[in-house]
Amino acid sequence: MSGKFEEKIKKYRTAPFDARFPNTNQTRNCYQNYLDYHRCNKVLSAKKQKTTPCEWYRRVYKSLCPIAWVQKWDDQRQSGTFAGRI
Amino acid sequence: MAHQAHAMLYSVDPSPSPLTGAVAALLMTSGLAISMHFHTTTLMSLGLVLLLLTMYQSSRDIIREGTFQGHHTPPVQKGLRYGMILFITSEVFFFLGFFSAFYHSSLAPTPELGGCSPPTGITTLNPFEVPLLNTAVLLASGVTVTSAHHSIMEGQRKQAIQSLTLTILLGFYFTALQAMEYYEAPFTIADGVYGSTFFVATGFHGLHVIIGSTFFAICLLRQAQYHFTSDHHFGFEAAASYSHSCLMSYDSSFTSLFTDEAS
C-alpha cells in the first residue's frame, strides 16, 4: 500500500480535480488541504507514527495556495491566532 | 364625476416640515461623519433636535387636519393606508438587506473566520434564554395591541386605554431586556463580521421597537383625549401594523441570528 502511495507521490505533477470543490473559486480546496496536512501531522505525531501519508496534502496545498496565505497562516499558527481547528 | 371625487380629497396647507425634516437629515448625517473625525457631537445633536421638532409639529398638524378639521375622508384615509403599507414594505426590505449580509457571511464562512459558523472565538448567546423571553414579550404585545384594537372598535374606552398601556409597558420591557443583553454580551460590534451583522441588525430592530412604543404612546394620549372613534382610528392602525412588522422581523432574527449552529 505504501509502495503505491510512494509511486503516486513520485508521479505528482499538480493538484488533481477534487469533486468536493467543483467551482472556479478554489479557496476552500487550498484551505482544506492546508488544514488536513497539519491535522494529519498532529495526529500521526501524537501516535508516534511516520507522517509520510500527510505528504499528499502538503503537495496539494503547495500547488494551490498563494504563498502569502500560507505564510500568514503559518505565522498565525505560531502566535496561536490561527482561526482554523487543527 | 371627476370634480365630485375631488371634493372628497384635500390639499394640505404649506408647511415647513418637509424642509425642516430634510435639513435635520442633512445635519444628522453630516454630523455623524463630523463626530467620527473631530470628536464633536454638536452638529448631530442639532440635527436630532430639529428632527424631534419636525416629528412633533408634523404629527400635530396631521392630527389637527384629520381629527379636528375632518379632512380625513374615506378616500384620504385610503391614501394614508397605501402610504403606510408602502413605507412598511420598504422597512421590510431594509431588514432583508441585513439578513442577506448575515447569510452571505455565515453560509460560506471564509478561512479568516476559521471556515466555520459561528466563527472561531465567538461565544454565541443562548437563544433559549433572554432572546426567547424577548420573543415572548413581543408576541404578548401583539396580543395586547389586538385587544386594544377591538376595544377601540367596540367603543370600550377604559379597556382600550388599559390594553394600550400594557402594550407600551411590554415594549419598554423588551427594550430594557435588550439593553441588558447588549451590556452582558460576550462579543461586541467590532468582533468580526458576526459582531457587525448581529449588532447592526438587532440594533436597528431595537430602534424600531422604540419608535413603535413612541407611536403607541402618542396613540394612548389621543385615545385618552377622545380622538379615536369606533370606525375611524387610522393612527392606531398604522402604529399596530408598524409594530406587527417589527415583531415579525424579530422572529426572523431569532431563528437565524441567535441559533448556535448558524446554518
Side-chain angles (χ1 to χ4, degrees):
Chain A
M1 205 258 295
S2 60
K4 271 170 96 178
F5 182 74
E6 267 152 23
E7 254 183 67
K8 202 163 79 154
I9 290 287
K10 241 196 282 183
K11 287 195 304 180
Y12 183 91
R13 300 296 290 262
T14 188
F17 173 70
D18 189 337
R20 296 175 298 167
F21 315 106
N23 297 321
T24 308
N25 187 339
Q26 292 287 292
T27 304
R28 195 77 195 193
N29 196 352
C30 142
Y31 187 61
Q32 195 60 53
N33 280 287
Y34 181 86
L35 287 177
D36 289 344
Y37 171 68
H38 288 97
R39 287 173 184 169
C40 174
N41 261 350
K42 184 175 175 193
V43 167
L44 291 181
S45 311
K47 292 191 193 170
K48 307 269 197 278
Q49 289 172 14
K50 278 176 69 179
T51 60
T52 335
C54 308
E55 182 62 14
W56 176 261
Y57 301 121
R58 194 184 77 88
R59 290 294 188 98
V60 173
Y61 93 69
K62 287 278 183 202
S63 304
L64 292 174
C65 297
I67 297 171
W69 293 11
V70 176
Q71 280 173 349
K72 183 177 66 177
W73 293 336
D74 289 341
D75 293 341
Q76 284 176 347
R77 278 189 304 114
Q78 202 143 32
S79 65
T81 58
F82 185 66
R85 198 178 42 83
I86 291 183
Chain B
M1 247 346 171
H3 86 196
Q4 220 178 351
H6 230 302
M8 297 273 271
L9 299 171
Y10 82 109
S11 296
V12 291
D13 291 331
S15 162
S17 299
L19 180 62
T20 58
V23 170
L26 171 67
L27 292 180
M28 280 170 67
T29 47
S30 53
L32 184 63
I34 294 283
S35 75
M36 290 181 204
H37 287 276
F38 301 114
H39 299 284
T40 160
T41 55
T42 315
L43 204 61
M44 188 172 64
S45 311
L46 193 57
L48 190 61
V49 165
L50 193 52
L51 175 73
L52 292 171
L53 284 173
T54 307
M55 284 165 68
Y56 176 76
Q57 178 169 292
S58 62
S59 48
R60 187 195 60 179
D61 286 347
I62 294 172
I63 293 169
R64 284 174 175 176
E65 287 158 12
T67 304
F68 299 130
Q69 295 179 316
H71 287 306
H72 289 183
T73 58
V76 172
Q77 239 197 92
K78 193 162 167 211
L80 292 169
R81 277 181 207 283
Y82 274 130
M84 199 63 197
I85 288 166
L86 287 169
F87 173 62
I88 290 171
T89 307
S90 76
E91 295 269 85
V92 168
F93 280 102
F94 180 67
F95 276 100
L96 283 176
F98 295 120
F99 280 109
S100 136
F102 171 73
Y103 281 119
H104 173 92
S105 298
S106 65
L107 290 172
T110 59
E112 287 81 357
L113 306 173
C116 54
S117 188
T120 307
I122 294 282
T123 328
T124 55
L125 302 174
N126 185 346
F128 297 109
E129 291 179 359
V130 178
L132 185 60
L133 174 59
N134 273 342
T135 306
V137 168
L138 287 184
L139 285 170
S141 75
V143 170
T144 54
V145 84
T146 308
S147 164
H149 193 190
H150 283 272
S151 298
I152 291 174
M153 291 192 291
E154 304 289 312
Q156 293 168 331
R157 176 185 161 76
K158 198 179 66 155
Q159 288 85 328
I161 289 172
Q162 282 171 353
S163 301
L164 202 37
T165 308
L166 197 45
T167 306
I168 296 167
L169 288 175
L170 286 167
F172 285 163
Y173 187 33
F174 174 91
T175 304
L177 284 168
Q178 192 71 313
M180 190 266 307
E181 275 285 87
Y182 269 28
Y183 183 74
E184 299 282 341
F187 54 89
T188 71
I189 197 172
D191 284 321
V193 72
Y194 186 87
S196 299
T197 49
F198 180 91
F199 283 107
V200 169
T202 58
F204 271 115
H205 176 264
L207 175 65
H208 283 70
V209 169
I210 292 169
I211 291 170
S213 298
T214 310
F215 202 162
F216 280 129
I218 308 288
C219 288
L220 179 60
L221 288 173
R222 294 186 66 201
Q223 165 68 7
Q225 292 177 52
Y226 301 92
H227 288 198
F228 297 138
T229 72
S230 48
D231 292 317
H232 189 172
H233 42 263
F234 175 69
F236 174 83
E237 287 170 345
S241 314
Y242 186 83
S243 299
H244 274 315
S245 68
C246 202
L247 157 70
M248 289 195 298
S249 110
Y250 190 81
D251 286 344
S252 331
S253 304
F254 183 79
T255 52
S256 55
L257 299 182
F258 294 121
T259 53
D260 266 334
E261 2 83 48
S263 326

